[in-house]
Amino acid sequence: MAIVLIICAWKLRAREVGYLYSFLAATCSFNAVDNISELFKGEGYVNGQPTEGDAHTVAEYWGGHHIVWAAYWFIFALVCSGVGLLFAFDGIVYKQHQKHQKLEEKEKQLSTPVIDSSDLVV
């Protein structure tokens, strides 16, 4: 999957990479919110065997209750989803702004008169 994403980033236009990035970010965030219910449960299953969840493991090592850790992760996932949706980085507008600034700098350089030292009268 990583190779496919690298090729997409290399070959696609900026707008399409932005769409791909937004899709992946939303998928990851919403997946974290959707799977949070597994943290609140007492146990999960790995290869058909019942095991404790991640929240239990963290509570054992760092202290606290597993429900508190699951609640922290849930709130963190919601905050990250909100920040990602509200403050998404628009790469296309950024690139257009950078191009516009470079053009303005070139125009300034061309419009600035160059004074030759032989033109000076002493």
Side-chain angles (χ1 to χ4, degrees):
M1 185 65 171
I3 293 171
V4 171
L5 292 176
I6 290 170
I7 292 171
C8 287
W10 181 35
K11 293 291 186 180
L12 294 176
R13 292 185 304 237
R15 175 167 293 199
E16 292 159 348
V17 170
Y19 291 146
L20 179 63
Y21 170 77
S22 297
F23 172 74
L24 290 174
T27 301
C28 290
S29 295
F30 293 134
N31 188 34
V33 172
D34 183 48
N35 288 337
I36 204 74
S37 64
E38 294 175 12
L39 290 174
F40 286 105
K41 293 179 184 175
E43 62 182 33
Y45 292 93
V46 177
N47 294 330
Q49 302 294 325
T51 60
E52 289 185 339
D54 293 338
H56 285 279
T57 305
V58 172
E60 283 179 24
Y61 287 111
W62 288 5
H65 197 268
H66 75 278
I67 291 180
V68 173
W69 285 105
Y72 285 151
W73 287 329
F74 180 67
I75 291 167
F76 182 71
L78 287 177
V79 168
C80 288
S81 297
V83 168
L85 290 173
L86 295 175
F87 303 107
F89 177 74
D90 190 356
I92 298 164
V93 173
Y94 176 76
K95 285 183 179 182
Q96 288 173 348
H97 180 69
Q98 292 289 53
K99 185 186 272 186
H100 183 70
Q101 279 186 333
K102 285 180 183 179
L103 287 174
E104 284 181 353
E105 288 175 10
K106 281 184 180 181
E107 287 176 2
K108 261 188 198 176
Q109 289 175 351
L110 293 175
S111 65
T112 305
V114 178
I115 300 174
D116 189 10
S117 60
S118 63
D119 291 342
L120 296 175
V121 178
V122 180

